Amino acid sequence: MSSLTNSQTNTFTITNARYLASKFAADLYQLQRFYGQPSDAQINEYIEEVALLLKDGYFKSIEYGFKKNGKWILALSYEVSQLNGLDNSPGRVPIGVDISGATWGSYLCKSDKFFALTAAQQSNVIVSLPVARGDGADPKAGLNSIYDKAYSSGNVDISRRIIK
């Protein structure tokens, strides 16, 4: 009689974080193509911000999109979820949404792990990020919201939701 032991360790690395962030980038470049925003520089900063926060477990969710009168009229929302390893291709952002009079923006939520840090540790994380964010209210969701994509790497799952 013989026995077999199998051990597997899954570690989430900056490579995993950059892979997931690249999915966000592809989506953001589609928004740029169809709607003129965000800029290349903004996309680079957003993606680095997400990768750094994901790497250390400080990312909870983020929304990128166009808002008008305090409401998203078109946004892509990403959040850490339990999707069991689904990894879709990015893209297929909505086209033809009327964004006249809307402004571009993003709204970031950090994880409980981030808020468990001391104030000094939180400050160190924040100053290391490429995007300077202020305090503000989360814009309200638009009329429709649908989960349509899932991205996964290194045991971290992200769900994407379209808000319009």
Side-chain angles (χ1 to χ4, degrees):
M1 179 189 240
S2 65
S3 70
L4 176 66
T5 303
N6 186 6
S7 176
Q8 183 177 6
T9 303
N10 290 315
T11 305
F12 190 79
T13 66
I14 190 65
T15 302
N16 299 111
R18 290 194 192 289
Y19 172 80
L20 289 171
S22 75
K23 302 280 188 149
F24 295 25
D27 291 340
L28 291 172
Y29 279 115
Q30 273 201 340
L31 282 178
Q32 180 192 66
R33 180 176 173 216
F34 297 138
Y35 300 100
Q37 294 263 14
S39 69
D40 288 346
Q42 286 174 308
I43 292 171
N44 290 334
E45 289 174 351
Y46 291 147
I47 298 318
E48 184 65 11
E49 173 187 50
V50 165
L52 293 172
L53 291 171
L54 275 169
K55 174 185 68 81
D56 292 323
Y58 302 146
F59 177 86
K60 179 179 178 182
S61 66
I62 197 158
E63 296 162 342
Y64 303 106
F66 298 92
K67 55 189 172 183
K68 189 176 191 177
N69 300 322
K71 294 182 181 180
W72 292 119
I73 60 170
L74 173 61
L76 299 177
S77 176
Y78 302 88
E79 64 186 304
V80 174
S81 62
Q82 300 297 319
L83 297 171
N84 301 319
L86 295 174
D87 192 27
N88 300 133
S89 296
R92 298 186 64 152
V93 302
I95 58 174
V97 176
D98 180 8
I99 60 162
S100 57
T103 58
W104 173 260
S106 71
Y107 187 81
L108 172 71
C109 293
K110 297 173 192 82
S111 70
D112 291 341
K113 183 177 178 182
F114 173 83
F115 291 108
L117 298 173
T118 66
Q121 291 169 321
Q122 288 179 17
S123 179
N124 287 340
V125 169
I126 290 168
V127 298
S128 75
L129 300 174
V131 178
R133 294 185 176 273
D135 293 330
D138 185 3
K140 303 294 181 226
L143 297 175
N144 299 308
S145 174
I146 184 169
Y147 287 92
D148 72 330
K149 298 270 185 180
Y151 307 137
S152 181
S153 183
N155 285 340
V156 172
D157 297 321
I158 304 287
S159 61
R160 183 184 89 173
R161 180 170 53 114
I162 294 176
I163 302 169
K164 60 180 183 168

